[in-house]
Amino acid sequence: MTTARLCPDCDLPVLPQVAENGQSAYCPRCNARLYRGGYFRFSSEFAIALTCLILMVPAHLFPMITIRLFGVMIPATLPSGTIALAADFPAVAFLILFCSSIAPFLVCGSVITAQIGLRFRRFNLFRHSMWIISHLKHWAMFDVFLVSLGISCFKVQDYADIFVGPGLYSLVMLQVLMAVLLSRISISRYWETWQPETEHDATEQSFHCHQCHMTQGDHAHCIRCGSALYKRMPMAIQKTWAYLIAATVFIFPANLYPISIFLNNGKRAEDTIFSGVAHLVKTDMLGIAIIIFVASIIVPVAKILGLAYILLTIQFNRRIHHLQRMKLYRFIQMIGKWSMMDLFVISIMVALIDRDQILDFTPGPGAIAFGVVVVLTMLAAESLDSRLIWDNYEQRTQPSTTRACENKA
């Protein structure tokens, strides 16, 4: 039996059609990918996730790089920056640890537990694993950490000799496998394997479950996963505004207060984000300066302004440029994690440049405010219900049920 499905991003009723291997089905209105064609092997995801968990051991235990500073060999492991920051900046240290270690571990572990729950029909284990994957996959930031490590190496190359360690090779392989794993994971396909949507003979398709992506009638809870069912996520606009306003408040101290303090031969240099970028330009590191400027200044401001624009168009019932606003929202979600780059650089620099030496590097108070901005802007993007963008479009045209479009993956 074929039933209409509601697009998870815009709520358009869509009739599924068969997508061949190598092809994907997309929503004809908002261009959201609805599903992928071809036979899907969960065993390959299990193998990739297990390999990632194995690689996390050498990636965390062995040095990524080692520098020779004034004749002293100083290794830097993945968690060493977090350990160095924990005493004076526990909140920043936990955020760095969460994005570089905890979130990737939970995502990989949840892929394995989800398949165990699927195999032995353990509903709670399966449901909680799916929740962790869907909510934490954007917080796994090995790619951002690797770029930050490269920037840190450029910064210390004038003061120390740099040696690559086995931990870096493990981390690179880990990032490649994590990228493959995250690109393959489909929450809706897991839930379809648990219980196909066609088993439920729904007389109406008016609600889309935000957790398992099942289309169904008006119920208090999802008939498949048991989650609370809402036409739109409750208080989505208010929550997003609250996060944005708080992020706007914290972005001023994040840029006005020093984000790092560098001691060189007794000379103390306090750098804000702007002055740090200017220093990189003066020292002929234009490429790194551009990367830091975009990730630490342009991206947070763009996220705040972009989300504010989307919220205002929703509240003022703008009836044009729906697809453009949807693309903007997806772009904001995509770039959000790259703001963590500056914090990763700080943690690596603290780990590499020991204190109480001629060279000393410590975070400034601006680092705390900047960490708050990163978290708040990412939470703001997650709290917004994208279907609100299309509500007045539906009121204007009332689209009929249409078929999904097929495109090459």
Side-chain angles (χ1 to χ4, degrees), residues 82-83 85-86 89-102 340:
T82 300
I83 297 172
L85 290 171
F89 299 89
V92 177
F94 177 77
L95 176 61
I96 294 170
L97 180 66
F98 181 80
C99 296
S100 63
S101 299
I102 297 176
M340 276 293 298

Side-chain angles (χ1 to χ4, degrees), residues 48-79:
I48 295 173
L50 183 60
T51 305
C52 288
L53 290 178
I54 294 173
L55 283 173
M56 283 186 185
V57 177
H60 283 75
L61 294 181
F62 294 108
M64 299 178 298
I65 60 172
T66 302
I67 67 170
R68 183 163 55 207
L69 184 64
F70 305 120
V72 179
M73 302 299 290
I74 304 175
T77 61
L78 187 58

Side-chain angles (χ1 to χ4, degrees), residues 307 310 325-333 381 384 386:
L307 287 173
I310 293 173
R325 281 183 270 155
M326 194 69 204
K327 290 180 179 178
L328 175 62
Y329 176 63
R330 290 175 181 149
F331 180 71
I332 291 171
Q333 287 184 308
L384 179 62
S386 64

Side-chain angles (χ1 to χ4, degrees), residues 295-310:
S296 302
I297 298 176
I298 299 296
V299 169
V301 174
K303 287 191 293 184
I304 292 174
L305 294 178
L307 287 173
Y309 165 73
I310 293 173

Side-chain angles (χ1 to χ4, degrees), residues 119-246:
R119 172 68 176 83
F120 296 100
R121 308 301 294 179
R122 303 294 182 183
F123 178 72
N124 286 331
L125 178 63
F126 179 78
R127 182 182 62 178
H128 293 148
S129 299
M130 288 291 96
W131 187 93
I132 291 173
I133 293 172
S134 61
H135 286 82
L136 296 188
K137 63 182 180 180
H138 299 297
W139 295 85
M141 302 183 186
F142 283 140
D143 48 354
V144 183
F145 190 90
L146 283 171
V147 175
S148 305
L149 180 62
I151 293 173
S152 302
C153 289
F154 274 103
K155 284 191 171 186
V156 301
Q157 65 179 351
D158 292 335
Y159 307 102
D161 299 320
I162 302 173
F163 305 93
V164 176
L168 181 58
Y169 298 112
S170 300
L171 187 60
V172 171
M173 290 188 290
L174 185 55
Q175 165 54 28
V176 172
L177 291 175
M178 278 291 295
V180 174
L181 180 63
L182 293 177
S183 67
R184 292 175 59 88
I185 292 176
S186 173
I187 301 297
S188 58
R189 198 187 292 257
Y190 270 92
W191 277 107
E192 278 295 295
T193 305
W194 175 268
Q195 186 180 62
E197 190 171 337
T198 53
E199 288 188 2
H200 300 278
D201 188 10
T203 56
E204 60 173 327
Q205 292 86 30
S206 55
F207 280 76
H208 175 87
C209 177
H210 203 66
Q211 299 298 327
C212 73
H213 305 294
M214 179 177 177
T215 300
Q216 55 201 280
D218 188 0
H219 306 282
H221 295 84
C222 176
I223 57 179
R224 180 164 67 180
C225 71
S227 303
L229 206 59
Y230 305 101
K231 186 67 175 179
R232 297 292 180 266
M233 296 303 294
M235 305 293 289
I237 293 178
Q238 292 85 342
K239 290 178 182 177
T240 307
W241 271 123
Y243 288 132
L244 279 186
I245 293 172

Side-chain angles (χ1 to χ4, degrees), residues 174-378:
L174 185 55
Q175 165 54 28
V176 172
L177 291 175
M178 278 291 295
V180 174
L181 180 63
L182 293 177
S183 67
R184 292 175 59 88
I185 292 176
S186 173
I187 301 297
S188 58
R189 198 187 292 257
Y190 270 92
W191 277 107
E192 278 295 295
T193 305
W194 175 268
Q195 186 180 62
E197 190 171 337
T198 53
E199 288 188 2
H200 300 278
D201 188 10
T203 56
E204 60 173 327
Q205 292 86 30
S206 55
F207 280 76
H208 175 87
C209 177
H210 203 66
Q211 299 298 327
C212 73
H213 305 294
M214 179 177 177
T215 300
Q216 55 201 280
D218 188 0
H219 306 282
H221 295 84
C222 176
I223 57 179
R224 180 164 67 180
C225 71
S227 303
L229 206 59
Y230 305 101
K231 186 67 175 179
R232 297 292 180 266
M233 296 303 294
M235 305 293 289
I237 293 178
Q238 292 85 342
K239 290 178 182 177
T240 307
W241 271 123
Y243 288 132
L244 279 186
I245 293 172
T248 304
V249 171
F250 276 96
I251 203 169
F252 290 100
N255 285 275
L256 296 177
Y257 284 96
I259 196 170
S260 63
I261 302 171
F262 185 53
L263 183 66
N264 185 7
N265 292 322
K267 296 181 180 179
R268 180 185 177 94
E270 297 184 354
D271 277 326
T272 62
I273 299 176
F274 280 101
S275 64
V277 170
H279 178 73
L280 289 172
V281 173
K282 291 179 181 178
T283 54
D284 296 326
M285 296 185 183
L286 182 60
I288 297 177
I290 293 174
I291 294 173
I292 294 293
F293 180 77
V294 171
S296 302
I297 298 176
I298 299 296
V299 169
V301 174
K303 287 191 293 184
I304 292 174
L305 294 178
L307 287 173
Y309 165 73
I310 293 173
L311 288 172
L312 288 173
T313 55
I314 292 173
Q315 293 188 288
F316 284 98
N317 204 29
R318 293 287 294 173
R319 297 176 179 270
I320 59 175
H321 305 313
H322 296 82
L323 183 57
Q324 288 80 357
R325 281 183 270 155
M326 194 69 204
K327 290 180 179 178
L328 175 62
Y329 176 63
R330 290 175 181 149
F331 180 71
I332 291 171
Q333 287 184 308
M334 181 185 68
I335 66 174
K337 64 180 182 179
W338 289 96
S339 298
M340 276 293 298
M341 187 182 299
D342 229 346
L343 295 181
F344 283 149
V345 170
I346 290 173
S347 69
I348 296 168
M349 292 291 289
V350 170
L352 289 175
I353 303 179
D354 279 352
R355 301 181 181 185
D356 301 324
Q357 295 195 44
I358 298 176
L359 289 177
D360 182 38
F361 188 93
T362 56
I368 300 175
F370 186 77
V372 173
V373 172
V374 173
V375 173
L376 290 175
T377 52
M378 291 190 67

